Amino acid sequence: DPMHQAGLKNMLATGDLHRLGLMDWILGHDDRHAGNYLMTPNGKKEMQLIDNSEILPSFNPVTNFYTPDYLSRNDGLKKPIHDNEQDWVSSLDPEHLTGSLAKMNYPKATIKATEDRLNFLKRLIHDKRGQGQQLTGNDIFDHDMDDSEERPW
C-alpha cells in the first residue's frame, strides 16, 4: 500500500519509527509483525501499535529477537537513529522503570530483564557516541552479534 509505505518513510525521517523500535526493544516485544500495527487513514502518517501481549517477558531473547516489521521496511535498520531518540533513551531512569513495574506486580525476573535491556541500550548509545559512531537499528536488532560482545543476560 503506497500510503502505508509513505507513512513509514515519514516516521523514519522524523525519528518516530526508531523511537517505537527502541521502546519495543526495551519492553522486550518480540512479535511486532505487520499485523501488529496500523497506519492511520487519510495520509496522516501515524502508527498505532496493537497486540502488545508479548511485552515484558521474564527472559531476554538473545537470538531470535524479532525485528519489528516497521523497521525492516524502508531501510529502517540501516538508517542512523536520530539524536533525539538516543537522548530519550539516555534520559530514561532504570530505577523509575523498575519501580513502576514493581508497583504493577510484575515478576522480579521480568523487571530484571527489562532493566537489563534498558541498561544495555544506554551503554550502547554511550559507547557509540564516545567512539564518534552513529547508532543504527542494525546495532540493536542484529541477530548475529559477535560472540565477543558481552550481553547483560
Side-chain angles (χ1 to χ4, degrees):
D1 174 2
M3 290 296 287
H4 181 87
Q5 290 297 344
L8 289 174
K9 282 186 178 186
N10 182 59
M11 291 182 69
L12 183 60
T14 63
D16 293 338
L17 208 58
H18 280 136
R19 184 175 290 226
L20 292 174
L22 294 167
M23 180 185 66
D24 269 345
W25 196 84
I26 293 166
L27 296 177
H29 197 301
D30 66 350
D31 188 36
R32 188 67 74 200
H33 55 76
N36 282 348
Y37 65 92
L38 302 170
M39 298 302 292
T40 56
N42 303 325
K44 289 185 180 180
K45 299 180 177 101
E46 295 175 356
M47 181 188 296
Q48 298 296 317
L49 302 177
I50 61 172
D51 188 4
N52 294 304
S53 63
E54 298 296 322
I55 64 168
L56 299 170
S58 60
F59 61 93
N60 283 307
V62 176
T63 59
N64 302 328
F65 190 87
Y66 191 82
T67 302
D69 177 81
Y70 54 80
L71 283 179
S72 298
R73 299 171 184 252
N74 301 312
D75 291 328
L77 293 171
K78 297 177 185 174
K79 302 277 185 189
I81 295 176
H82 290 238
D83 285 339
N84 288 343
E85 279 55 56
Q86 292 183 56
D87 292 343
W88 170 72
V89 170
S90 296
S91 74
L92 295 175
D93 179 4
E95 289 182 19
H96 181 75
L97 175 63
T98 58
S100 296
L101 294 174
K103 286 179 187 176
M104 292 183 275
N105 296 316
Y106 275 93
K108 288 181 181 181
T110 297
I111 296 169
K112 176 73 171 119
T114 306
E115 179 183 31
D116 287 347
R117 286 189 299 273
L118 174 58
N119 285 329
F120 174 79
L121 190 53
K122 289 173 74 110
R123 279 193 310 274
L124 181 62
I125 290 168
H126 178 267
D127 292 348
K128 286 283 187 177
R129 284 180 166 174
Q131 297 165 2
Q133 298 176 354
Q134 293 184 320
L135 180 70
T136 68
N138 280 329
D139 293 320
I140 300 164
F141 292 98
D142 186 354
H143 298 297
D144 299 314
M145 300 286 289
D146 184 312
D147 289 338
S148 66
E149 183 165 345
E150 187 174 326
R151 296 271 189 161
W153 48 85

